[in-house]
Amino acid sequence: MALYFREVTYGGIAGFYDYGPLGVALKRNITNLWWQMFVNEREDMFGIDAAIIMNPKVWKASGHVDTFTDPLVECAECKSRFRADKIDTSKCPNCGKAGTFGEARQFNMMFKTNVGPVDDDSSVSYLRPETAQGIFTNYKNVVDTLYPDLPFGLAQIGKAFRNEISPRDFIFRVRELEQMEIEYFVDPHKWEEAFELWRQNVHAWCDALGLDKNKVHELEVEEADRAHYSKRTIDFEYDFPIGREELLGLAYRTDFDLMNIQNNSGKGMEYTLKGSNERFVPHVIEPSFGVERALMAVLAEAYTEDEVNGEKRVYLKLPEHLAPVRYCVSPLLKNKPELVAKAREVYASLKKKHGNVMWDDNGNIGKRYRRQDEIGTPYCVVIDFDTLEDDTVTIRHRDTTEQSRLSIADLLTK
Ligand code: GAP
């Protein structure tokens, strides 16, 4: 059953992925969990949804037009292009010829487009390479309309686009990605305590994804390696099957972005502390989460092999709150109308309650269990002849493969 697709009609394009019914369900569960934890459950956080294409002045002021670049090299022999910092440039990884690379040049990763019917320099804009700037440009609107107490944060989930030179490793480095970003506005004197709180919140997020604490690592990023706007960055890395790599980042962006906007737009970005006349441009702590990397870590963590009755079994040990399908409902036999009717009744009630409930009456029960194991369904519910007598069902548990009996009433209040 498909979690994700490589588009098959025309073969797709490198760095872009489509998600199938199960993949999108898993992705939604991740983004909904994030919104629940970081927006709905908190008093100091507010959501926004900014446009993907913004005024190009945004990207000039943010530094992206000038500095959002990666070093690019081209092989003189086979013309393949690579990110210079990701390969050994003494030999071309494609054709194998040595000494074919010249000097690296800086390649800007923003996708360009033209807005409106005129196709010239005056109409150039960009697909946003990060969701963050849409938050900074809306900060003033939120202060003017809601006037939240400081510190407060703005959160956004949305697509971002990066023309990566070498997209790679499944969805680890893609060209169309989704970010879940927070800009948390603080009193400049209090940035350290806010940074520490968000460091802890990030760990709580990794726990909520079900990631093993021993596989999550903090990397204090050296000044030379930090983004141009950051005074402190911690990369949270995860032990992916491809190695230890960045899962998400936590940065202290100072007042870099709001000051840029103030200086370039002429609009004041100051915040007046409530109950005083003190005014200042807030500083910003930015936890920035990539959806694809969260999804990839969740899949890597969940992938499990064991042995059941002497046979190898592969299953996804997904946390119940992330599983694309929570319950699979089956009649024991699909040619017994009374079983099918009762099973349909149970299915309809569970579906109404949880939404992510699947019906499966194909093949024998053993095969149905294995199919559900593979997609990480925690519970399979089977309606048999006893159900017709006493209103109980068999519930089969994914991780232990154990089966127990439960009344339908208890199942529906679970
Ligand atoms: N606003 C800050 C920012 O965008 P970043 O470190 O460039 O910082 C944040 O990106 C997160 O977005 C990364 O930690 C990663 O999870 C995700 N990300 C960035 N580029 C990506 C790509 N090409 N493919 C998949 N995820 C990516």
Side-chain angles (χ1 to χ4, degrees):
M1 281 191 256
L3 268 177
Y4 76 96
F5 294 127
R6 168 73 77 188
E7 184 266 297
V8 290
T9 49
Y10 299 100
I13 175 167
F16 297 91
Y17 280 88
D18 300 340
Y19 289 82
L22 299 171
V24 75
L26 179 56
K27 193 150 78 111
R28 280 282 156 81
N29 288 345
I30 291 173
T31 51
N32 287 346
L33 176 70
W34 188 89
W35 197 263
Q36 181 62 22
M37 268 179 86
F38 293 132
V39 182
N40 291 348
E41 288 177 9
R42 297 178 61 117
E43 272 181 57
D44 56 346
M45 294 287 303
F46 306 91
I48 66 141
D49 187 21
I52 286 175
I53 295 181
M54 303 168 73
N55 189 317
K57 287 179 185 164
V58 170
W59 305 111
K60 186 72 195 151
S62 66
H64 283 82
V65 170
D66 296 323
T67 62
F68 194 62
T69 55
D70 272 339
L72 172 77
V73 283
E74 183 176 303
C75 170
E77 182 71 18
C78 69
K79 307 288 177 220
S80 300
R81 291 176 170 188
F82 301 93
R83 221 176 109 171
D85 56 338
K86 295 284 176 197
I87 58 161
D88 167 10
T89 49
S90 62
K91 198 167 103 187
C92 174
N94 185 47
C95 67
K97 201 143 187 224
T100 57
F101 291 119
E103 278 287 291
R105 71 175 168 90
Q106 291 304 315
F107 171 76
N108 194 297
M109 288 194 289
M110 283 197 293
F111 278 99
K112 262 190 197 162
T113 187
N114 291 85
V115 178
V118 181
D119 185 354
D120 66 14
D121 283 355
S122 69
S123 65
V124 165
S125 194
Y126 306 91
L127 304 191
R128 66 182 177 200
E130 60 168 16
T131 55
Q133 292 305 320
I135 299 182
F136 291 122
T137 50
N138 277 288
Y139 152 87
K140 174 98 179 109
N141 292 341
V142 176
V143 171
D144 288 350
T145 52
L146 288 181
Y147 196 14
D149 291 341
L150 205 71
F152 73 91
L154 298 181
Q156 174 167 222
I157 298 178
K159 294 268 182 162
F161 300 82
R162 298 183 181 189
N163 197 1
E164 296 283 353
I165 296 168
S166 316
R168 63 174 175 92
D169 295 320
F170 179 39
I171 53 172
F172 182 81
R173 191 174 301 287
V174 285
R175 289 174 165 145
E176 177 177 334
L177 56 134
E178 201 165 340
Q179 290 185 315
M180 306 179 282
E181 293 202 296
I182 291 167
E183 307 304 328
Y184 197 70
F185 301 94
V186 299
D187 181 327
H189 298 109
K190 297 185 177 161
W191 76 266
E192 275 159 313
E193 62 190 79
F195 193 93
E196 177 53 26
L197 283 176
W198 279 103
R199 197 174 69 80
Q200 290 166 21
N201 290 340
V202 166
H203 282 294
W205 166 249
C206 294
D207 289 347
L209 288 183
L211 305 185
D212 179 349
K213 282 186 196 312
N214 297 317
K215 292 187 183 164
V216 177
H217 311 275
E218 288 185 18
L219 175 76
E220 188 74 47
V221 180
E222 301 275 315
E223 190 178 348
D225 297 329
R226 287 199 293 261
H228 58 281
Y229 50 71
S230 174
K231 274 258 174 69
R232 184 180 178 196
T233 297
I234 296 179
D235 280 350
F236 287 77
E237 299 187 317
Y238 176 74
D239 292 326
F240 287 98
I242 53 169
R244 185 175 294 182
E245 296 277 3
E246 181 183 332
L247 174 65
L248 62 100
L250 175 63
Y252 169 41
R253 282 182 91 126
T254 69
D255 57 1
F256 178 86
D257 302 274
L258 291 184
M259 285 306 286
N260 269 339
I261 293 176
Q262 180 164 287
N263 294 337
N264 285 282
S265 71
K267 304 263 175 3
M269 293 291 127
E270 285 184 326
Y271 178 94
T272 307
L273 263 192
K274 288 185 184 171
S276 84
N277 289 328
E278 204 184 330
R279 286 166 70 78
F280 50 80
V281 174
H283 281 212
V284 169
I285 307 298
E286 179 195 67
S288 175
F289 307 72
V291 175
E292 286 74 13
R293 293 194 190 174
L295 201 153
M296 196 162 144
V298 164
L299 284 178
E301 188 76 46
Y303 182 90
T304 312
E305 292 178 3
D306 67 359
E307 218 180 82
V308 176
N309 303 330
E311 259 183 54
K312 188 179 150 193
R313 174 176 79 132
V314 171
Y315 70 105
L316 289 183
K317 208 174 188 164
L318 290 170
E320 191 173 327
H321 57 280
L322 296 182
V325 178
R326 203 172 187 129
Y327 291 95
C328 175
V329 180
S330 299
L332 180 66
L333 301 167
K334 76 172 181 186
N335 58 359
K336 296 285 173 208
E338 62 278 32
L339 290 185
V340 174
K342 188 72 185 170
R344 279 277 170 202
E345 233 176 72
V346 173
Y347 168 74
S349 308
L350 275 178
K351 183 104 182 131
K352 193 161 178 207
K353 184 166 171 171
H354 299 287
N356 54 347
V357 177
M358 190 182 264
W359 172 266
D360 188 3
D361 58 9
N362 280 319
N364 65 39
I365 284 287
K367 286 210 172 106
R368 291 179 210 163
Y369 288 160
R370 286 293 192 278
R371 267 202 298 275
Q372 296 302 323
D373 287 344
E374 272 180 21
I375 64 168
T377 307
Y379 307 110
C380 290
V381 175
V382 180
I383 281 69
D384 54 25
F385 292 104
D386 287 345
T387 315
L388 304 179
E389 301 295 318
D390 61 8
D391 259 358
T392 64
V393 294
T394 297
I395 211 170
R396 187 266 193 181
H397 301 256
R398 175 195 67 198
D399 298 349
T400 58
T401 73
E402 273 167 16
Q403 301 181 19
S404 54
R405 247 10 245 174
L406 192 67
S407 74
I408 293 173
D410 285 347
L411 176 68
L412 293 177
T413 48
K414 217 164 115 61

